[in-house]
Amino acid sequence: MSTRDRAVLVVATIVGSLSAWHALTPSWQVPLPGQADPAEERLQDFRDALYFPIREFLAGGDPYDPAAMFAHWPVRQDFNLYQPYHLLAHLPFALPGYRVGAVAFTVFCLLLLVALAALATVAVRRLVPVPFTITTVVIAALLVTSQVGKAQLYVGQVNPLIALGVAGALLARRDRPGWAAVALALAWLKPQFGLPLAILLFARGSRRVALAGTAVAAAASLPVVVLLVIRSGGAVAFLDVVAANIAHARGTAYGAVDSLTAQRIDVAAVVFRVTGWAPSGIEPLVLAGVLVTSVLLVRRLDQASASPVADLLTCLAVVVCLVHQPGDVLIAVPAMAAVAVLWWRHRDEPGWGAAGLAVLAAAIPFAHLYTVDSAVVSLFGTRVAVTIDGVAVVFAWCALVWGAVRLTGTRSASLVAAGSGG
């Protein structure tokens, strides 16, 4: 290790450690949940989507029932339709007292961010021989310092586990399909990640991974579903609870398309925020349009030996085709790192300028720090501040689509020319 390498490692370690300490602090400073502070944002997802839903499940209730959750626990949001195995997978964090569980879960998520940085290093090392330790520490420091990284720990989100699943599925789908299937099952924790990812993996030729990963997630959830059906008094009653959950999600202003607090980055929400209007039925149209477009292009990118670009397009398609928020861009970190390396290598070639622009745009949510947000709010207002990330991510997908068209067209022309010359 050279002197410069040691200096980079020391600086990255110090910055990452300070940022990690700052990001972990809310987990032991947040007030204990109570009816007096239901709007507390610190650890709100840990509180509303993990700790108290699991407590309701352990108490013999159905956490998917909004009426039960609001009646029994100091939560702000209903428990969304996460995969039922979530109630078992995160059980250890709900068994101790709230504060112990919150600190343990936040530390666990921090370690997952480091693991995601390691996967990003693996993706980069497939292209250039960078030192593993230094690269991982640098990426981890950038992650935990970024707004997206800090938000995972501040709010107590499960996205680091999902991001690890998405990255693992994409990186291992060819060499280790068994592990890729397990990783996809983790990504299924939230169906809005698992569904489009499974479709795109299937389209890219990883059919066994897509089917096996979906089957693993379903099998892991089945025991919980059976128990909830029994508790509800039958399948019909359980489906009524699911319907009530969906109806509540559609009826609440918190998290809705037009909510200023939602900060959604999917195409449907961005169209509404930019124009003030959204056509009826836009969400299924967006889902179909984004997936069809992405399916056609990722196949061509794989055939053109541009799999890292296909990986990034897959990740961006996942977060713009369905309801997603800025922190969900975390799943794209390894692919962004790999495409950034490829862009630097091929920056003067057709199509790579658009790919580099897509990486830059996708990085905007990571750079949307509190000081930046405060400046934007003071200059342009709250609505602009919560719209910037969505516009950037949708633009990133569009730019990468354009870059993919040019890259695959150029590659095809080169192959034809090479064949003619032969």
Side-chain angles (χ1 to χ4, degrees):
M1 189 179 295
S2 66
T3 302
R4 188 181 69 173
D5 289 342
R6 291 193 185 94
V8 170
L9 181 60
V10 169
V11 171
T13 300
I14 293 173
V15 171
S17 299
L18 291 175
S19 296
W21 180 261
H22 177 71
L24 289 172
T25 302
S27 65
W28 60 75
Q29 288 186 345
V30 62
L32 295 176
Q35 297 296 344
D37 60 349
E40 173 63 61
E41 292 184 353
R42 286 174 293 180
L43 277 299
Q44 69 172 12
D45 280 11
F46 171 78
R47 178 194 67 205
D48 298 346
L50 193 154
Y51 191 82
F52 288 119
I54 295 177
R55 285 280 182 161
E56 175 70 13
F57 178 70
L58 293 175
D62 186 346
Y64 294 106
D65 185 355
M69 289 301 300
F70 287 120
H72 300 158
W73 309 103
V75 295
R76 180 186 186 186
Q77 313 162 75
D78 65 321
F79 178 53
N80 292 325
L81 296 177
Y82 288 21
Q83 284 286 344
Y85 74 74
H86 162 66
L87 299 171
L88 297 179
H90 290 108
L91 183 63
F93 302 109
L95 291 177
Y98 182 84
R99 196 174 302 283
V100 173
V103 173
F105 178 74
T106 307
V107 172
F108 175 65
C109 288
L110 175 63
L111 296 176
L112 290 177
L113 289 179
V114 175
L116 183 65
L119 286 186
T121 301
V122 170
V124 171
R125 279 169 63 91
R126 290 181 174 183
L127 304 171
V128 291
V130 295
F132 183 84
T133 301
I134 295 176
T135 307
T136 299
V137 171
V138 169
I139 295 176
L142 290 173
L143 262 181
V144 77
T145 305
S146 72
Q147 181 61 24
V148 168
K150 290 192 298 183
Q152 311 305 310
L153 309 184
Y154 184 85
V155 184
Q157 295 182 340
V158 296
N159 286 340
L161 181 61
I162 295 173
L164 207 63
V166 174
L170 291 173
L171 289 172
R173 66 188 186 90
R174 289 176 175 168
D175 300 332
R176 298 183 178 179
W179 284 111
V182 173
L184 174 59
L186 293 176
W188 262 107
L189 195 152
K190 289 184 180 180
Q192 72 262 38
F193 287 95
L195 174 63
L197 178 60
I199 291 173
L200 289 163
L201 285 172
F202 190 92
R204 295 178 66 180
S206 299
R207 297 180 180 180
R208 290 185 179 180
V209 172
L211 296 176
T214 302
V216 169
S221 294
L222 185 59
V224 179
V225 172
V226 170
L227 182 57
L228 292 178
V229 167
I230 293 172
R231 288 179 179 178
S232 300
V236 174
F238 176 69
L239 291 176
D240 288 341
V241 169
V242 173
N245 186 290
I246 295 173
H248 181 272
R250 289 177 175 173
T252 181
Y254 187 79
V257 173
D258 56 346
S259 170
L260 294 181
T261 64
Q263 298 181 334
R264 281 174 50 178
I265 59 172
D266 51 285
V267 172
V270 169
V271 168
F272 178 86
R273 291 183 186 282
V274 172
T275 66
W277 171 80
S280 177
I282 184 176
E283 291 186 340
L285 291 176
V286 166
L287 174 62
V290 170
L291 286 183
V292 169
T293 302
S294 301
V295 162
L296 295 174
L297 288 173
V298 292
R299 285 176 172 175
R300 293 167 60 182
L301 286 166
D302 282 333
Q303 292 169 358
S305 300
S307 290
V309 182
D311 289 347
L312 182 55
L313 184 58
T314 296
C315 293
L316 293 179
V318 167
V319 297
V320 301
C321 72
L322 282 172
V323 177
H324 282 283
Q325 304 218 1
D328 298 349
V329 185
L330 189 68
I331 68 172
V333 167
M336 288 171 63
V339 173
V341 170
L342 285 175
W343 167 79
W344 181 255
R345 277 184 170 182
H346 305 283
R347 58 189 181 278
D348 295 327
E349 300 175 16
W352 286 103
L357 194 59
V359 172
L360 186 62
I364 287 178
F366 293 88
H368 196 160
L369 299 168
Y370 177 77
T371 52
V372 175
D373 188 69
S374 299
V376 173
V377 169
S378 64
L379 291 173
F380 305 107
T382 303
R383 196 171 189 88
V384 172
V386 298
T387 304
I388 289 176
D389 291 343
V391 171
V393 176
V394 172
F395 175 80
W397 178 77
C398 293
L400 199 59
V401 165
W402 172 243
V405 170
R406 297 202 65 193
L407 286 172
T408 54
T410 301
R411 177 65 174 169
S412 298
S414 299
L415 291 175
V416 170
S420 299

